Amino acid sequence: MKIEEAAVPFTLGKILFSRGEMPMREPYQNEPFTDFTISDRIDEFQEALRKVESELGKEYLIKIGADRIETTTKRRSINPSQTTQLVGIVSQADQALAHKAILAAAAAFDHWKRIAPSARSRMLYKAAAILRRRKHEFSAWLVYEAGKTWAEADADTAEAIDFMEYYGREMERLSERQPLVPYPGEDNELFYIPLGVGVIIPPWNFPLAIMVGMTMAAIVAGNTVVLKPASATAVIAAKFMELLEEAGLPDGVVNFLPGSGTEIGDYLVEHPLTRFICFTGSREVGLRINEKAAIVQQDQKWIKRVVAEMGGKDTIIVDEDADLDLAAEAITASAFGYAGQKCSACSRAVVLEAAYDAVIAKVIERTKLLKVGKANELSSHIGPVIDERAYFSILKYIEVGRSEGTVVYGGSKGASGGYFIEPTIIKDVEPYARISQEEIFGPVLAFIRAANFEAAIDIANNTEYGLTGAVISRDRSKLEQAREQFHVGNLYFNRKCTGALVGVQPFGGFNMSGTDSKAGGRDYLLLFMQSKVVTERF
Ligand SMILES: NC(=O)c1ccc[n+]([C@@H]2O[C@H](COP(=O)([O-])OP(=O)(O)OC[C@H]3O[C@@H](n4cnc5c(N)ncnc54)[C@H](O)[C@@H]3O)[C@@H](O)[C@H]2O)c1
Ligand SMILES: N[C@@H](CCC=O)C(=O)O
C-alpha cells in the first residue's frame, strides 16, 4: 500500500494512520520511566500501593487451557520487606498437572500457529496497552512481592511493556518476505514457522519484565507455552495471566503452572512433547536443564532447543585517569540497585593502584546516603533481599569476605521484620578469592587492586561468567583495548553496568552466563522459530 507522504498522520493508541491509508506502526521507542520527584506521580503511585495492599492475601489458581485448578498443595508468597505480610496463596502443580499443561499447549498449538503473525503481534500491543494503563498497579505488586523500590519496580514494568512493543514489531518484520539471492527460472522463498510447545522458566528478580519477555517472544512467534513462574513471585505472574485474558489471548496458548522446580521442573523439561525450553536463572539450574533436554525421550521427534540465560560476576574497571566521581556513581548504582540482586550487578570493582583509595572513599561516601528500608516507602533506596534462603546465603558470603579482605562499610544485617542487609563494601580482595569468583546476588561489593590496565582486564576475565562489565576511563586506547579484550556480552564505557534497555542494548552473556540469546534484540525471536525454504522451478 502506498502511503501519501503529504498526508497528515494521526495517532490512535500506538498505531499511526495516514488518512485513507492502511495503518502503519509507530517506530518502537522505550517506555519512559516515571519521575518520582513530581508530586502527582507520587500520589498516583501511593494510590496504587493502597489498592494492591487491599488485595493482598488472595488465592491464585493454576490455569490449564480454560480450566482453573485449585490444588491442596499451596505456597504462601510473602512480602520480603515485612515477612508477616501475606501477598498471596498459590496452588502448586504436580507432575500429573504438568502433563496436562503440556497436552493443553500442544492442542492449542494447532490453532495458534495458523493465526497471522500480524494478529499475534496485535495481541502483544493490546497487552502492552493494558499494562501501560495499569502500570503503577503492576509496579505496586512488584514492590510487595519482589521487594523492589519504587524506581526499580517502575523500570521492571516499563521493560515488560518494551518487550511486548518490541517483539510485536519484530514479528511483523520477520513475517515479511525474507531476502534471498535471485536465481534465474526459480522462485525461492524463506519464511519462519514456530517450533511447537515451549516451557518458560523465568527467575524471580525481574518477575514481570523477564517473565513477560520470554513468554511473549515465544507466543508471538506462533508457539504455545507452559509458564512455570518463579515460586517467590508467582502472584505477579498470576496477575499477568489475568492481563492476558483481558487482552483476549485464546485459552491454552499460555498455560500457567506454578509449582516447585524440583517437583515439576525436570518433568516439563524431559517431556517428549516439549520442543524448547526458555530459561533464565542460576548457572546450576540452567546447566541441569541443558543436560536433561539433551536426552532424547521415547517418542520424541526433535532435538530440544534450550535458551538459557544464567548468572554473572560482573566487574567495573576504573582507570587511573578516570573521572572518579563518575566511577563511584557507576559502581554504587550497579552494586546496590535492587540490593545487588541483578545478574548484571557490579560485584567487583577492579581499580588501578593510583585511583584505588580515592574510589573506595567516594563509593563509601555515596553508599552512606543510601537508606535501607521497606520497599513501599519512597525514601528507601535499597529494599530487602528476596527470601530467607538468600538472606542467610548473603550473610554467609559477608563472613567469607571478612576472611578474604577488609570490610570497610556495612557488613551486618539490617532492621528486623524483613530480609534487610546493609550494603557491604570489602576491600583488598584477591582476584581468585571466593567472593571474587562466586555469584553472591546481594548487596556485597569487593574491591580488587590492579597494577595496570592489562592486569585489570585479566582480572575482569578471570571468572567462568561473562555477562556485563564496565570501564571508566578517559583513555581512548584503553577503551578500544577493552572493546576487544573484555569478554562479556554487555560492555559499558563510562556508565553503570546495569539497566540495559530493550532494543537499545540487547542483553545476554558469554560462557557460564548463558547462551547469549540477546533478549530485546533483533536475533531473539529467531530462537523461537525455524525457517523453511520453498523453491518453485518455473
Ligand atoms: N542472564 C540473565 O539474563 C539473568 C537475568 C535474571 C537473573 N539471572 C540469574 O538468575 C539467578 C537468580 O534467579 P533464581 O534464583 O530465580 O534462579 P533459579 O535457577 O534458582 O530459578 C530459576 C527458575 O528455575 C526454576 N527451577 C528450579 N529448579 C528447577 C529444575 N530442576 N528444573 C526446571 N526449573 C527449575 C525455579 O523455580 C525458577 O522458576 C541468578 O543467578 C541471576 O544471575 C540471569
Ligand atoms: N537486564 C538487566 C539485568 C537482568 C538480570 O538480572 C540489566 O541490564 O540490568
Side-chain angles (χ1 to χ4, degrees), residues 118-195:
S118 58
R120 297 198 301 256
S121 292
R122 264 197 299 282
M123 183 62 64
L124 271 66
Y125 305 136
K126 172 76 178 170
I130 299 172
L131 184 54
R132 194 176 287 111
R133 268 202 298 276
R134 296 173 58 186
K135 194 169 172 180
H136 291 338
E137 181 196 334
F138 270 84
S139 298
W141 281 105
L142 289 160
V143 168
Y144 282 110
E145 196 178 33
K148 293 214 164 191
T149 57
W150 291 26
E152 293 287 349
D154 183 64
D156 195 325
T157 309
E159 192 177 356
I161 295 169
D162 283 351
F163 276 131
M164 292 192 279
E165 292 284 355
Y166 184 80
Y167 292 146
R169 285 166 178 75
E170 276 300 288
M171 192 60 230
E172 293 196 70
R173 177 177 73 81
L174 292 167
S175 62
E176 286 165 9
R177 193 171 175 116
Q178 299 299 305
L180 292 173
V181 174
Y183 192 79
E186 280 185 7
D187 174 42
N188 289 289
E189 189 188 9
L190 179 150
F191 54 94
Y192 293 106
I193 59 172
L195 294 172

Coordinates of all heavy atoms in Angstrom, one line a residue, residues 118-195:
S118 N 0.7 -10.9 12.1 CA 0.3 -9.6 12.4 C -0.8 -9.6 13.6 O -0.8 -8.7 14.4 CB -0.3 -8.8 11.2 OG -1.3 -9.6 10.7
A119 N -1.7 -10.6 13.5 CA -2.7 -10.7 14.6 C -2.1 -11.1 15.9 O -2.5 -10.6 17.0 CB -3.8 -11.7 14.2
R120 N -1.0 -11.9 15.9 CA -0.3 -12.3 17.1 C 0.4 -11.0 17.7 O 0.4 -10.8 18.9 CB 0.7 -13.4 16.8 CG 0.0 -14.7 16.4 CD 0.9 -15.9 16.6 NE 2.2 -15.8 15.8 CZ 2.4 -16.5 14.7 NH1 1.6 -17.3 14.1 NH2 3.6 -16.3 14.1
S121 N 1.0 -10.3 16.8 CA 1.6 -9.0 17.2 C 0.6 -8.1 17.9 O 0.9 -7.5 18.9 CB 2.3 -8.3 16.0 OG 3.3 -9.1 15.5
R122 N -0.6 -8.0 17.2 CA -1.6 -7.1 17.8 C -2.0 -7.5 19.2 O -2.2 -6.7 20.1 CB -2.9 -7.1 16.9 CG -2.9 -6.0 15.9 CD -4.3 -5.8 15.4 NE -4.8 -6.9 14.7 CZ -4.4 -7.2 13.4 NH1 -3.6 -6.5 12.8 NH2 -4.9 -8.3 12.8
M123 N -1.9 -8.8 19.5 CA -2.2 -9.3 20.9 C -1.2 -8.7 21.8 O -1.5 -8.3 22.9 CB -2.1 -10.8 20.9 CG -2.4 -11.5 22.2 SD -4.1 -11.2 22.7 CE -5.0 -12.0 21.4
L124 N 0.1 -8.6 21.4 CA 1.1 -8.0 22.2 C 0.9 -6.5 22.4 O 1.1 -6.0 23.5 CB 2.5 -8.3 21.7 CG 3.2 -9.6 22.1 CD1 2.4 -10.8 21.6 CD2 4.6 -9.7 21.7
Y125 N 0.5 -5.8 21.4 CA 0.3 -4.4 21.5 C -0.9 -4.1 22.5 O -0.8 -3.2 23.2 CB 0.0 -3.7 20.1 CG 1.1 -4.0 19.1 CD1 0.8 -4.3 17.8 CD2 2.5 -3.9 19.4 CE1 1.8 -4.5 16.8 CE2 3.4 -4.1 18.5 CZ 3.1 -4.5 17.2 OH 4.1 -4.7 16.3
K126 N -1.9 -5.0 22.3 CA -3.0 -4.8 23.2 C -2.6 -5.0 24.7 O -3.0 -4.3 25.6 CB -4.1 -5.8 22.8 CG -5.3 -5.9 23.7 CD -6.2 -4.7 23.6 CE -7.5 -4.9 24.5 NZ -8.3 -3.7 24.5
A127 N -1.9 -6.1 24.9 CA -1.4 -6.4 26.3 C -0.5 -5.3 26.8 O -0.6 -4.9 28.0 CB -0.7 -7.8 26.3
A128 N 0.3 -4.7 25.9 CA 1.2 -3.6 26.3 C 0.4 -2.4 26.7 O 0.7 -1.7 27.7 CB 2.1 -3.3 25.2
A129 N -0.7 -2.2 25.9 CA -1.6 -1.0 26.2 C -2.3 -1.2 27.6 O -2.4 -0.2 28.4 CB -2.6 -0.8 25.1
I130 N -2.7 -2.4 27.9 CA -3.4 -2.6 29.2 C -2.4 -2.4 30.3 O -2.6 -1.8 31.3 CB -4.0 -4.0 29.2 CG1 -5.1 -4.2 28.1 CG2 -4.6 -4.3 30.6 CD1 -5.6 -5.6 28.0
L131 N -1.2 -3.0 30.1 CA -0.1 -2.9 31.1 C 0.3 -1.4 31.3 O 0.5 -0.9 32.5 CB 1.1 -3.7 30.8 CG 2.2 -3.8 31.8 CD1 1.7 -4.2 33.2 CD2 3.3 -4.7 31.3
R132 N 0.3 -0.6 30.2 CA 0.7 0.8 30.3 C -0.4 1.5 31.2 O -0.1 2.3 32.0 CB 0.8 1.4 28.9 CG 1.4 2.8 28.9 CD 1.6 3.3 27.5 NE 2.6 2.6 26.8 CZ 2.4 1.8 25.7 NH1 1.2 1.5 25.3 NH2 3.4 1.2 25.1
R133 N -1.7 1.1 30.9 CA -2.8 1.8 31.7 C -2.7 1.4 33.2 O -3.0 2.2 34.1 CB -4.1 1.3 31.2 CG -4.7 2.2 30.1 CD -6.3 1.9 30.0 NE -6.7 0.6 29.6 CZ -6.7 0.2 28.4 NH1 -6.4 0.9 27.4 NH2 -7.1 -1.1 28.1
R134 N -2.3 0.1 33.4 CA -2.2 -0.3 34.8 C -0.8 -0.4 35.4 O -0.5 -1.2 36.3 CB -2.9 -1.8 34.9 CG -4.3 -1.7 34.5 CD -4.9 -3.1 34.4 NE -4.8 -3.9 35.6 CZ -5.1 -5.2 35.6 NH1 -5.6 -5.9 34.6 NH2 -4.9 -5.9 36.8
K135 N 0.0 0.5 34.9 CA 1.5 0.4 35.1 C 1.8 0.5 36.6 O 2.5 -0.4 37.2 CB 2.1 1.6 34.4 CG 3.6 1.6 34.3 CD 3.9 2.8 33.3 CE 5.4 3.0 33.3 NZ 5.7 4.1 32.4
H136 N 1.2 1.5 37.3 CA 1.6 1.6 38.7 C 1.0 0.5 39.6 O 1.6 0.0 40.5 CB 1.1 2.9 39.3 CG 1.8 4.1 38.7 ND1 3.0 4.1 38.2 CD2 1.4 5.4 38.7 CE1 3.4 5.3 37.8 NE2 2.4 6.1 38.1
E137 N -0.1 0.0 39.1 CA -0.7 -1.2 39.9 C 0.3 -2.4 39.8 O 0.6 -3.0 40.8 CB -2.0 -1.5 39.3 CG -2.7 -2.7 40.0 CD -3.9 -3.3 39.1 OE1 -4.4 -2.5 38.2 OE2 -4.1 -4.5 39.3
F138 N 0.8 -2.7 38.6 CA 1.7 -3.8 38.5 C 3.0 -3.5 39.2 O 3.6 -4.4 39.9 CB 2.0 -4.1 37.0 CG 1.0 -5.1 36.4 CD1 -0.3 -4.8 36.0 CD2 1.3 -6.5 36.4 CE1 -1.2 -5.7 35.5 CE2 0.4 -7.4 36.0 CZ -0.9 -7.0 35.5
S139 N 3.5 -2.3 39.1 CA 4.7 -1.9 39.9 C 4.5 -2.1 41.4 O 5.4 -2.6 42.1 CB 5.1 -0.5 39.6 OG 5.4 -0.3 38.2
A140 N 3.3 -1.8 41.8 CA 3.0 -2.0 43.3 C 3.1 -3.4 43.7 O 3.5 -3.8 44.8 CB 1.6 -1.4 43.6
W141 N 2.6 -4.3 42.8 CA 2.7 -5.8 43.1 C 4.2 -6.1 43.2 O 4.6 -6.9 44.0 CB 2.1 -6.6 42.0 CG 0.6 -6.7 42.2 CD1 -0.4 -6.0 41.4 CD2 -0.2 -7.4 43.2 NE1 -1.6 -6.3 41.9 CE2 -1.5 -7.2 42.9 CE3 0.2 -8.3 44.2 CZ2 -2.5 -7.7 43.7 CZ3 -0.8 -8.8 45.0 CH2 -2.1 -8.6 44.8
L142 N 5.0 -5.5 42.3 CA 6.5 -5.8 42.4 C 7.1 -5.3 43.7 O 8.0 -5.9 44.2 CB 7.2 -5.1 41.2 CG 6.9 -5.7 39.8 CD1 7.2 -4.8 38.7 CD2 7.7 -7.0 39.7
V143 N 6.6 -4.2 44.2 CA 7.1 -3.7 45.5 C 6.7 -4.7 46.6 O 7.6 -5.0 47.4 CB 6.4 -2.3 45.8 CG1 6.6 -1.9 47.2 CG2 6.9 -1.2 44.8
Y144 N 5.5 -5.2 46.6 CA 5.1 -6.0 47.7 C 5.7 -7.5 47.6 O 6.0 -8.0 48.6 CB 3.6 -6.1 47.8 CG 3.0 -4.9 48.5 CD1 2.3 -3.9 47.7 CD2 3.2 -4.6 49.8 CE1 1.8 -2.8 48.4 CE2 2.7 -3.5 50.4 CZ 2.0 -2.6 49.7 OH 1.6 -1.4 50.3
E145 N 5.7 -8.0 46.4 CA 6.1 -9.4 46.3 C 7.6 -9.6 46.1 O 8.2 -10.5 46.6 CB 5.3 -10.1 45.2 CG 5.5 -11.7 45.4 CD 4.7 -12.5 44.3 OE1 4.6 -12.0 43.2 OE2 4.2 -13.6 44.7
A146 N 8.2 -8.6 45.3 CA 9.7 -8.8 45.0 C 10.5 -7.9 45.8 O 11.8 -8.0 45.7 CB 9.9 -8.5 43.5
G147 N 9.9 -7.0 46.6 CA 10.7 -6.1 47.4 C 11.5 -5.0 46.6 O 12.5 -4.6 47.0
K148 N 10.9 -4.7 45.5 CA 11.5 -3.7 44.6 C 11.2 -2.3 45.1 O 10.0 -2.0 45.4 CB 11.1 -3.8 43.1 CG 11.6 -5.1 42.5 CD 11.9 -4.9 41.0 CE 12.7 -6.1 40.6 NZ 13.3 -6.0 39.3
T149 N 12.1 -1.4 45.1 CA 11.8 0.0 45.4 C 11.0 0.6 44.3 O 10.9 0.0 43.2 CB 13.1 0.9 45.6 OG1 13.8 0.7 44.3 CG2 14.0 0.4 46.7
W150 N 10.4 1.8 44.5 CA 9.5 2.3 43.5 C 10.2 2.4 42.2 O 9.6 2.0 41.1 CB 9.1 3.8 43.9 CG 8.2 3.9 45.1 CD1 8.1 3.0 46.1 CD2 7.3 4.9 45.4 NE1 7.2 3.4 47.0 CE2 6.7 4.6 46.6 CE3 6.9 6.1 44.7 CZ2 5.7 5.5 47.2 CZ3 6.0 6.9 45.3 CH2 5.4 6.6 46.5
A151 N 11.4 3.0 42.1 CA 12.1 3.2 40.8 C 12.4 1.9 40.2 O 12.3 1.7 39.0 CB 13.3 4.0 41.1
E152 N 12.9 0.9 41.0 CA 13.2 -0.4 40.4 C 11.9 -1.1 39.8 O 12.0 -1.7 38.8 CB 13.9 -1.3 41.4 CG 15.3 -0.8 41.9 CD 16.4 -1.0 40.8 OE1 16.1 -1.7 39.8 OE2 17.5 -0.5 41.1
A153 N 10.8 -1.0 40.6 CA 9.6 -1.6 40.1 C 9.1 -0.9 38.9 O 8.7 -1.6 37.9 CB 8.5 -1.5 41.2
D154 N 9.2 0.4 38.8 CA 8.7 1.1 37.7 C 9.5 0.7 36.4 O 9.0 0.6 35.3 CB 8.9 2.6 38.0 CG 8.4 3.5 36.8 OD1 7.2 3.4 36.5 OD2 9.2 4.2 36.2
A155 N 10.9 0.5 36.6 CA 11.7 0.1 35.5 C 11.4 -1.3 35.0 O 11.4 -1.6 33.8 CB 13.2 0.2 35.9
D156 N 11.1 -2.2 35.9 CA 10.7 -3.5 35.6 C 9.4 -3.5 34.7 O 9.3 -4.2 33.7 CB 10.5 -4.3 36.9 CG 10.5 -5.8 36.7 OD1 10.0 -6.3 35.7 OD2 10.9 -6.5 37.6
T157 N 8.4 -2.8 35.2 CA 7.2 -2.7 34.4 C 7.4 -2.1 33.0 O 6.8 -2.5 32.0 CB 6.1 -1.9 35.2 OG1 6.0 -2.5 36.5 CG2 4.7 -2.0 34.6
A158 N 8.2 -1.0 33.0 CA 8.5 -0.3 31.7 C 9.1 -1.3 30.8 O 8.8 -1.4 29.6 CB 9.4 0.9 31.9
E159 N 10.0 -2.1 31.3 CA 10.7 -3.1 30.4 C 9.8 -4.2 29.9 O 9.9 -4.6 28.8 CB 11.9 -3.7 31.2 CG 12.8 -4.5 30.3 CD 14.0 -5.1 31.1 OE1 14.2 -4.9 32.3 OE2 14.8 -5.9 30.4
A160 N 8.8 -4.5 30.7 CA 7.8 -5.5 30.3 C 7.0 -5.0 29.1 O 6.8 -5.6 28.1 CB 6.9 -5.9 31.4
I161 N 6.6 -3.7 29.2 CA 5.9 -3.0 28.1 C 6.8 -3.0 26.9 O 6.4 -3.3 25.7 CB 5.5 -1.6 28.5 CG1 4.5 -1.6 29.7 CG2 5.0 -0.8 27.3 CD1 4.2 -0.3 30.3
D162 N 8.1 -2.6 27.1 CA 9.0 -2.6 26.0 C 9.1 -3.9 25.2 O 9.1 -3.9 24.0 CB 10.4 -2.2 26.5 CG 10.6 -0.7 26.8 OD1 9.6 0.0 26.5 OD2 11.6 -0.3 27.4
F163 N 9.3 -5.0 26.0 CA 9.4 -6.3 25.3 C 8.2 -6.6 24.4 O 8.4 -7.0 23.3 CB 9.5 -7.4 26.4 CG 10.9 -7.6 26.9 CD1 11.1 -7.7 28.3 CD2 12.0 -7.8 26.1 CE1 12.4 -7.9 28.8 CE2 13.3 -8.0 26.6 CZ 13.5 -8.0 27.9
M164 N 7.0 -6.2 24.9 CA 5.8 -6.5 24.0 C 5.8 -5.7 22.8 O 5.5 -6.1 21.7 CB 4.6 -6.4 24.9 CG 4.5 -7.5 25.9 SD 2.9 -7.7 26.8 CE 3.0 -6.4 28.0
E165 N 6.1 -4.4 23.0 CA 6.1 -3.5 21.8 C 7.2 -3.9 20.8 O 7.0 -3.8 19.6 CB 6.3 -2.0 22.3 CG 5.2 -1.4 23.1 CD 3.9 -1.0 22.3 OE1 4.0 -1.1 21.0 OE2 2.9 -0.7 22.9
Y166 N 8.3 -4.2 21.4 CA 9.5 -4.6 20.5 C 9.3 -5.9 19.8 O 9.5 -6.0 18.5 CB 10.8 -4.6 21.4 CG 12.0 -4.8 20.5 CD1 12.6 -3.7 19.9 CD2 12.6 -6.1 20.4 CE1 13.7 -3.9 19.1 CE2 13.7 -6.3 19.7 CZ 14.3 -5.2 19.0 OH 15.4 -5.4 18.2
Y167 N 8.9 -6.9 20.5 CA 8.7 -8.2 19.9 C 7.6 -8.2 18.9 O 7.6 -9.0 17.9 CB 8.6 -9.3 20.9 CG 9.9 -9.6 21.7 CD1 9.8 -10.0 23.1 CD2 11.1 -9.4 21.2 CE1 10.9 -10.2 23.8 CE2 12.3 -9.7 21.9 CZ 12.2 -10.1 23.2 OH 13.3 -10.3 24.0
G168 N 6.5 -7.5 19.2 CA 5.4 -7.3 18.2 C 5.9 -6.8 16.9 O 5.6 -7.4 15.8
R169 N 6.7 -5.8 16.9 CA 7.3 -5.2 15.7 C 8.2 -6.2 15.0 O 8.3 -6.3 13.8 CB 7.9 -3.9 16.0 CG 7.0 -2.8 16.2 CD 7.6 -1.6 16.8 NE 6.7 -0.5 17.0 CZ 5.8 -0.4 18.0 NH1 5.7 -1.4 18.8 NH2 5.0 0.6 18.1
E170 N 9.0 -6.9 15.8 CA 10.0 -7.8 15.3 C 9.3 -8.9 14.5 O 9.7 -9.4 13.5 CB 10.8 -8.4 16.4 CG 12.0 -7.6 16.8 CD 12.9 -7.4 15.7 OE1 13.6 -8.3 15.3 OE2 13.0 -6.2 15.1
M171 N 8.2 -9.4 15.1 CA 7.4 -10.5 14.4 C 6.9 -10.0 13.1 O 6.9 -10.7 12.1 CB 6.3 -11.0 15.3 CG 5.7 -12.3 14.8 SD 6.9 -13.6 14.7 CE 6.7 -14.2 13.1
E172 N 6.4 -8.7 13.1 CA 5.9 -8.2 11.8 C 7.1 -8.1 10.8 O 6.9 -8.4 9.6 CB 5.3 -6.8 12.1 CG 4.1 -6.9 12.9 CD 3.2 -5.6 12.8 OE1 2.6 -5.4 11.8 OE2 3.1 -4.9 13.9
R173 N 8.3 -7.7 11.3 CA 9.4 -7.6 10.3 C 9.8 -9.0 9.8 O 10.0 -9.2 8.6 CB 10.6 -7.1 11.1 CG 11.9 -7.0 10.3 CD 13.0 -6.3 11.0 NE 13.6 -7.1 12.1 CZ 14.5 -8.1 12.0 NH1 14.9 -8.4 10.8 NH2 14.9 -8.8 13.0
L174 N 9.8 -10.0 10.7 CA 10.2 -11.4 10.3 C 9.1 -12.1 9.5 O 9.5 -13.1 8.8 CB 10.6 -12.2 11.5 CG 11.8 -11.7 12.2 CD1 12.0 -12.3 13.6 CD2 13.1 -12.0 11.4
S175 N 7.9 -11.6 9.5 CA 6.9 -12.3 8.7 C 6.9 -11.7 7.2 O 6.1 -12.2 6.4 CB 5.5 -12.2 9.3 OG 5.1 -10.8 9.4
E176 N 7.7 -10.6 7.0 CA 7.8 -10.1 5.6 C 8.6 -11.1 4.8 O 9.3 -11.9 5.4 CB 8.4 -8.8 5.6 CG 7.5 -7.7 6.1 CD 8.3 -6.4 6.5 OE1 9.5 -6.3 6.2 OE2 7.7 -5.5 7.1
R177 N 8.5 -11.0 3.5 CA 9.3 -11.8 2.6 C 10.8 -11.6 2.9 O 11.3 -10.4 2.9 CB 9.0 -11.5 1.2 CG 9.6 -12.6 0.3 CD 9.1 -12.4 -1.2 NE 9.8 -13.4 -1.9 CZ 9.2 -14.4 -2.6 NH1 7.9 -14.6 -2.5 NH2 9.9 -15.3 -3.3
Q178 N 11.6 -12.6 3.2 CA 13.0 -12.5 3.6 C 13.9 -12.5 2.4 O 13.6 -13.2 1.4 CB 13.4 -13.7 4.5 CG 12.6 -13.7 5.8 CD 12.7 -12.5 6.7 OE1 13.8 -12.1 7.0 NE2 11.6 -11.8 7.0
P179 N 14.9 -11.6 2.4 CA 15.7 -11.5 1.2 C 16.6 -12.7 0.9 O 17.2 -13.3 1.8 CB 16.6 -10.3 1.5 CG 16.6 -10.2 3.0 CD 15.3 -10.8 3.5
L180 N 16.5 -13.2 -0.4 CA 17.4 -14.3 -0.9 C 18.0 -13.8 -2.2 O 17.5 -12.9 -2.8 CB 16.6 -15.5 -1.1 CG 15.9 -16.2 0.1 CD1 15.0 -17.4 -0.4 CD2 17.0 -16.8 1.0
V181 N 19.1 -14.5 -2.6 CA 19.8 -14.2 -3.8 C 18.9 -14.7 -5.0 O 18.5 -15.8 -5.0 CB 21.1 -14.8 -3.9 CG1 21.8 -14.6 -5.3 CG2 22.1 -14.3 -2.8
P182 N 18.5 -13.8 -5.9 CA 17.7 -14.2 -7.0 C 18.4 -15.3 -7.9 O 19.6 -15.3 -8.0 CB 17.5 -12.9 -7.9 CG 18.0 -11.8 -7.1 CD 18.9 -12.4 -6.0
Y183 N 17.6 -16.2 -8.4 CA 18.1 -17.3 -9.2 C 17.2 -17.5 -10.4 O 16.0 -17.6 -10.3 CB 18.2 -18.6 -8.4 CG 19.0 -19.7 -9.0 CD1 20.4 -19.7 -9.0 CD2 18.4 -20.7 -9.8 CE1 21.2 -20.6 -9.6 CE2 19.2 -21.7 -10.4 CZ 20.5 -21.6 -10.3 OH 21.3 -22.6 -10.9
P184 N 17.9 -17.5 -11.6 CA 17.1 -17.5 -12.8 C 16.2 -18.7 -12.9 O 16.6 -19.8 -12.6 CB 18.1 -17.5 -14.0 CG 19.4 -17.2 -13.3 CD 19.3 -17.5 -11.9
G185 N 14.9 -18.5 -13.3 CA 14.0 -19.6 -13.5 C 13.3 -20.2 -12.3 O 12.6 -21.1 -12.4
E186 N 13.7 -19.6 -11.1 CA 13.1 -20.2 -9.9 C 12.5 -19.1 -9.0 O 13.0 -18.0 -9.0 CB 14.2 -20.9 -9.1 CG 14.5 -22.3 -9.6 CD 15.5 -23.0 -8.7 OE1 15.9 -22.5 -7.6 OE2 16.0 -24.1 -9.1
D187 N 11.5 -19.5 -8.3 CA 11.0 -18.6 -7.2 C 11.5 -19.3 -5.9 O 11.1 -20.4 -5.6 CB 9.5 -18.5 -7.2 CG 9.0 -17.7 -6.0 OD1 9.6 -16.7 -5.7 OD2 7.9 -18.2 -5.5
N188 N 12.3 -18.6 -5.1 CA 12.8 -19.1 -3.8 C 12.2 -18.2 -2.7 O 12.3 -17.0 -2.8 CB 14.3 -19.1 -3.8 CG 14.9 -20.1 -4.7 OD1 14.8 -21.3 -4.4 ND2 15.4 -19.7 -5.8
E189 N 11.7 -18.9 -1.7 CA 11.1 -18.2 -0.6 C 11.6 -18.8 0.7 O 11.6 -20.0 0.9 CB 9.6 -18.2 -0.7 CG 8.9 -17.3 0.3 CD 7.4 -17.4 0.4 OE1 6.9 -18.4 -0.1 OE2 6.8 -16.6 1.1
L190 N 12.0 -17.9 1.7 CA 12.3 -18.4 3.0 C 11.3 -17.7 4.0 O 11.1 -16.5 3.9 CB 13.7 -18.0 3.4 CG 14.2 -18.3 4.8 CD1 15.7 -18.6 4.8 CD2 13.9 -17.3 5.9
F191 N 10.7 -18.6 4.8 CA 9.8 -18.0 5.8 C 10.0 -18.7 7.1 O 10.5 -19.9 7.2 CB 8.3 -17.9 5.3 CG 7.8 -19.3 4.9 CD1 7.1 -20.1 5.7 CD2 8.0 -19.7 3.5 CE1 6.6 -21.3 5.3 CE2 7.5 -20.9 3.1 CZ 6.8 -21.7 3.9
Y192 N 9.5 -18.1 8.2 CA 9.7 -18.6 9.5 C 8.5 -19.3 10.0 O 7.4 -18.7 9.9 CB 10.1 -17.5 10.5 CG 11.5 -17.0 10.1 CD1 11.6 -15.7 9.6 CD2 12.7 -17.7 10.4 CE1 12.9 -15.2 9.2 CE2 13.9 -17.2 10.1 CZ 14.0 -16.0 9.5 OH 15.3 -15.5 9.2
I193 N 8.6 -20.4 10.7 CA 7.5 -21.1 11.3 C 7.8 -21.4 12.7 O 9.0 -21.5 13.1 CB 7.1 -22.4 10.5 CG1 8.3 -23.4 10.5 CG2 6.6 -22.1 9.1 CD1 7.9 -24.8 10.0
P194 N 6.8 -21.5 13.6 CA 7.1 -21.7 15.0 C 7.6 -23.1 15.3 O 7.6 -24.0 14.4 CB 5.7 -21.5 15.7 CG 4.7 -21.7 14.6 CD 5.4 -21.3 13.3
L195 N 8.1 -23.4 16.5 CA 8.7 -24.6 16.9 C 7.7 -25.6 17.4 O 7.7 -26.8 17.1 CB 9.8 -24.4 18.0 CG 11.0 -23.6 17.5 CD1 11.9 -23.4 18.7 CD2 11.8 -24.4 16.5

